[in-house]
Amino acid sequence: MKKYLFPFLFLLVFAQERLLAQQDFRLHSHNDYLQKVPFWEAFSAGAASIEVDVILQDGRVMVAHEKESIRLERTFRSIYLEPIQRAVELGMIDEFDFHLLVDCKTEAYSTLKQVMEDAAEFPSLLFSSQNPKGLKLIISGNRPKPEDYSSYPEWILFDYQSKNLTPDLPWEKIGMVSLSFRQFSVWNGKGRMVEKELQGVKDFIQLVHQFDRPVRFWAAPDSKSAWKAFQDLGVDFINTDQPKAAQEYLATLEQRVYSAEEKQPVYVPTYQWDGADMPVERVLLLIGDGNGLAQISSALFANGGNLNLAQIRNMGLIKTQAADDFTTDSAAGATAFATGQKTNNRALGVGPDGERLKNLPEILAEKGFSSGIITTDQVTGATPAAFYAHHPERDDTDQIAGYLPKSALSLVIGGGKSTFLRLDSAMSNAGFEMADRLEGLGEMKSNRVAYFSSLGSNPSMEKGRGDFLTKNALEALKFFAQKKTPFFLMIESAMIDSGGHANSTSTIVTEMLDFDQLIGEMIRYADSNPGTLIVITADHETGGVSIPQGNLERGEVELGFHSDDHTGILVPIFAYGPHSGEFRGIMANTEIFEKLIQLIRISDK
């Protein structure tokens, strides 16, 4: 019994993968017999066309490309027909959504005669008028003359290989049209085809489709760029020696491609106070959680090649490493911004040894500054919490919330109301008025205000959050204007990070575009309020994101992901307003704190 267990489980795994591989594209497993597990790998990848090179030798149909590579145990029957029969018996196949493309390497008529004799021993598999869901064989390589096609049974079709397509061909017996891609283009799958060659490919595909037949190119480039290009062109069977990789790429392509329906307006700054040597009276620290250069680029390309962020002239790069790890988390990254000290991952406002670290709101309160935080996350999320809490574990939500009433913050906006309901009296005793709606928040006369926008987490942009971030920021600016004091405001766009973790292009782009709308309004505010310094950065990059392809005219970008976690990639920093030139170059994340403190000290003089 045990000796049959592993093969049975092995087949079940392939059956499960086949079920998951239902797709709107079709793959041709080229030279399938060279795969480590012929037939099964292509079958599990959902291949719709599986190529078998055959040689007639001593009355047997051998699976091989040339006689020198023949192995006696590898026959058409043993490698393909018998496994297919077994898959049917096991219930893995109830109808055939694939065919075998049999490439005859020896003389056409005699080879095809023996192929038919072998296949005829499996009559229940084969297509017929009585079995319309059966298996078809498409004969390629050495083939009979077209005028003889009609003499072969229903389950035998042919691969036509010529540019000369006319109505008088025996189309009822032609299963597909295949040609070498090299007849049309020298493209190697890197970059893109030149326009003249591309048009030739399009014209041929259109011609084949006029006869209602599928098209395939062999000797074609076999890469991600090529697979996407062939899918976009409408190639019916995408030729590949990597069916599993091609399936995984194309099946997730829709999730990784985003196309913006509308372009967002971009505010053009006046630059009147940008880089000016003047006192810093207001600091806006805008943090895009998980936001790396590729994330910014994806939004820029989706928006037709421009962003509010792209208007900023002073920029640099930040090294994000934590005290105890090459790759930081948000807690350690935000603590570096808030305190100027490296700490261990998961720690908030405490050093590697657990010592309490003074944060920016606490330090600035001594200089007469008011402070606030806004986040699309919950208020107890790692990034906002680093600006008020002092705790070694970011997931201790209740303990972290307990630091808020004792903090130096005057304004708090974000999700997670359910956590703070238990602290209602503590918040009230600390002077916090709980706003029940966003409208009018900026006119509230209380010294301290908290607005919790949701019981738990806020929705993403894709799920209808709308202009929450910008509206809250503008209300916050009104609130601080009433105080007539200098202020520090940290605003976090938290869900760019979520998109990186989920490897979701649409989440990344929509969240980054929302962040950019905020940036535009904050630049507009800075232009009207001299002495406002805006610093825009990220705590880390998430997803190891790249941008292999895109289209500016369509606002389309394709993102690739190396990871579903944070990475150690340098992240950009941008600055606008007085002394913005101080943020050029490559710097450690702790230097942001140091520069802000230094600039405020200069302003004191």
Side-chain angles (χ1 to χ4, degrees):
M1 181 68 182
K2 287 184 178 179
K3 70 178 181 178
Y4 298 108
L5 182 60
F6 175 75
F8 181 71
L9 292 176
F10 180 74
L11 296 181
L12 285 181
V13 168
F14 275 117
Q16 179 68 20
E17 290 186 353
R18 179 75 180 188
L19 289 173
L20 295 173
Q22 302 303 312
Q23 51 222 2
D24 59 1
F25 55 88
R26 293 187 287 181
L27 298 177
H28 173 81
S29 182
H30 177 249
N31 289 345
D32 179 75
Y33 53 92
L34 296 178
Q35 299 292 337
K36 289 184 178 179
V37 188
F39 172 68
W40 291 112
E41 290 193 36
F43 178 71
S44 69
S49 179
I50 301 175
E51 181 175 338
V52 191
D53 283 10
V54 297
I55 294 174
L56 181 62
Q57 179 171 280
D58 300 329
R60 302 175 72 203
V61 180
M62 311 304 298
V63 174
H65 189 271
E66 61 280 312
K67 290 187 176 182
E68 292 75 15
S69 61
I70 287 176
R71 290 164 53 184
L72 295 180
E73 71 278 9
R74 294 171 66 88
T75 66
F76 179 50
R77 180 187 181 108
S78 66
I79 300 298
Y80 289 95
L81 296 175
E82 290 176 357
I84 291 172
Q85 179 68 53
R86 182 63 172 150
V88 170
E89 292 169 354
L90 290 171
M92 298 177 185
I93 300 173
D94 55 6
E95 62 179 271
F96 284 89
D97 55 359
F98 67 90
H99 62 250
L100 297 181
L101 186 135
V102 182
D103 190 338
C104 298
K105 297 300 182 183
T106 45
E107 192 274 329
Y109 289 90
S110 57
T111 304
L112 181 52
K113 180 175 181 294
Q114 190 59 52
V115 166
M116 290 172 55
E117 289 181 8
D118 285 358
E121 295 183 30
F122 301 83
S124 64
L125 301 182
L126 303 176
F127 170 84
S128 68
S129 301
Q130 294 72 40
N131 184 22
K133 297 180 180 179
L135 176 67
K136 294 178 182 179
L137 273 56
I138 297 181
I139 307 305
S140 186
N142 294 323
R143 290 150 293 156
K145 297 176 182 178
E147 55 265 32
D148 294 333
Y149 288 179
S150 60
S151 64
Y152 290 91
E154 294 174 278
W155 46 273
I156 293 289
L157 298 172
F158 296 90
D159 181 25
Y160 196 75
Q161 297 183 6
S162 173
K163 287 185 176 181
N164 298 318
L165 305 179
T166 58
D168 59 343
L169 289 172
W171 287 107
E172 71 283 357
K173 294 296 290 181
I174 294 175
M176 71 164 67
V177 178
S178 300
L179 280 179
S180 169
F181 184 72
R182 297 304 168 205
Q183 292 191 40
F184 300 88
S185 174
V186 296
W187 185 52
N188 66 356
K190 306 290 191 299
R192 65 184 299 276
M193 278 181 269
V194 298
E195 191 59 36
K196 182 179 179 180
E197 294 177 353
L198 178 63
Q199 191 58 51
V201 174
K202 288 180 178 178
D203 291 344
F204 183 70
I205 292 171
Q206 184 179 17
L207 177 61
V208 175
H209 287 172
Q210 286 177 4
F211 293 99
D212 196 26
R213 287 298 179 271
V215 64
R216 173 182 72 99
F217 295 106
W218 46 275
D222 195 12
S223 65
K224 291 178 180 178
S225 296
W227 301 331
K228 183 178 186 299
F230 291 138
Q231 183 187 37
D232 290 345
L233 285 166
V235 174
D236 301 280
F237 292 102
I238 298 172
N239 199 78
T240 181
D241 292 313
Q242 310 168 70
K244 189 65 176 175
Q247 188 275 332
E248 290 174 349
Y249 172 77
L250 291 171
T252 59
L253 189 58
E254 183 176 351
Q255 183 184 11
R256 290 181 290 99
V257 173
Y258 178 86
S259 183
E261 294 181 2
E262 297 180 1
K263 304 299 185 288
Q264 294 186 169
V266 171
Y267 171 71
V268 179
T270 66
Y271 304 104
Q272 184 175 359
W273 317 109
D274 189 33
D277 184 9
M278 62 187 302
V280 174
E281 299 176 358
R282 290 165 292 275
V283 176
L284 304 177
L285 176 58
L286 313 184
I287 299 176
D289 197 322
N291 197 29
L293 187 59
Q295 287 84 344
I296 294 168
S297 301
S298 69
L300 182 140
F301 298 137
N303 203 47
N306 206 4
L307 290 175
N308 291 298
L309 188 59
Q311 311 310 307
I312 297 178
R313 296 169 174 173
N314 288 303
M315 62 193 74
L317 295 168
I318 292 180
K319 297 177 284 187
T320 63
Q321 282 63 45
D324 66 339
D325 200 338
F326 177 81
T327 304
T328 192
D329 72 349
S330 294
T335 295
F337 294 150
T339 70
Q341 299 293 319
K342 294 279 190 183
T343 193
N344 296 337
N345 280 341
R346 310 198 68 78
L348 294 165
V350 295
D353 297 325
E355 69 276 19
R356 181 186 178 108
L357 302 173
K358 258 191 171 183
N359 57 46
L360 271 170
E362 292 167 343
I363 295 169
L364 295 180
E366 299 169 0
K367 298 180 176 293
F369 274 65
S370 300
S371 293
I373 58 172
I374 302 174
T375 180
T376 56
D377 194 3
Q378 297 193 35
V379 169
T380 54
T383 299
F387 290 86
Y388 68 84
H390 303 277
H391 195 73
E393 174 49 57
R394 60 181 287 178
D395 281 349
D396 290 342
T397 303
D398 290 340
Q399 293 94 317
I400 291 166
Y403 286 97
L404 187 58
K406 300 175 286 187
S407 73
L409 297 176
S410 301
L411 178 68
V412 176
I413 299 174
K417 183 176 182 178
S418 60
T419 300
F420 290 91
L421 290 174
R422 298 185 288 274
L423 294 173
D424 189 58
S425 60
M427 293 286 285
S428 178
N429 292 337
F432 272 103
E433 181 177 352
M434 307 291 272
D436 57 4
R437 60 192 178 93
L438 173 61
E439 291 73 16
L441 183 149
E443 283 76 40
M444 292 179 69
K445 303 302 181 183
S446 301
N447 190 46
R448 307 181 82 185
V449 171
Y451 169 58
F452 294 101
S453 51
S454 59
L455 285 173
S457 298
N458 289 312
S460 65
M461 287 300 294
E462 293 174 293
K463 294 184 178 178
R465 190 177 70 240
D467 55 358
F468 166 93
L469 197 59
T470 299
K471 278 186 175 179
N472 277 286
L474 293 175
E475 288 295 320
L477 295 177
K478 293 178 187 176
F479 173 80
F480 285 119
Q482 291 186 107
K483 289 182 171 290
K484 302 188 186 303
T485 61
F487 66 85
F488 166 80
L489 177 62
M490 189 286 295
I491 309 176
E492 182 201 21
S493 175
M495 296 183 192
I496 303 169
D497 178 67
S498 303
H501 284 300
N503 285 183
S504 170
T505 298
S506 60
T507 302
I508 287 173
V509 178
T510 54
E511 293 294 333
M512 177 56 214
L513 286 172
D514 177 57
F515 188 42
D516 191 62
Q517 286 293 90
L518 167 74
I519 292 167
E521 288 302 319
M522 296 304 99
I523 295 174
R524 190 192 303 273
Y525 172 83
D527 280 347
S528 301
N529 293 270
T532 303
L533 172 62
I534 304 173
V535 177
I536 307 160
T537 189
D539 45 1
H540 53 73
E541 193 274 348
T542 305
V545 181
S546 63
I547 307 179
Q549 300 187 78
N551 185 298
L552 277 173
E553 291 181 3
R554 296 197 298 265
E556 179 182 289
V557 287
E558 176 195 346
L559 300 190
F561 298 90
H562 180 72
S563 170
D564 61 0
D565 204 348
H566 303 171
T567 71
I569 298 171
L570 295 170
V571 295
I573 181 169
F574 300 80
Y576 183 80
H579 306 281
S580 57
E582 296 295 322
F583 295 88
R584 297 175 184 171
I586 297 177
M587 63 201 81
N589 51 10
T590 53
E591 292 182 59
I592 310 311
F593 170 93
E594 294 167 4
K595 289 178 183 293
L596 291 177
I597 293 296
Q598 182 61 31
L599 291 176
I600 291 166
R601 282 176 183 161
I602 292 172
S603 300
D604 288 342
K605 294 178 182 178

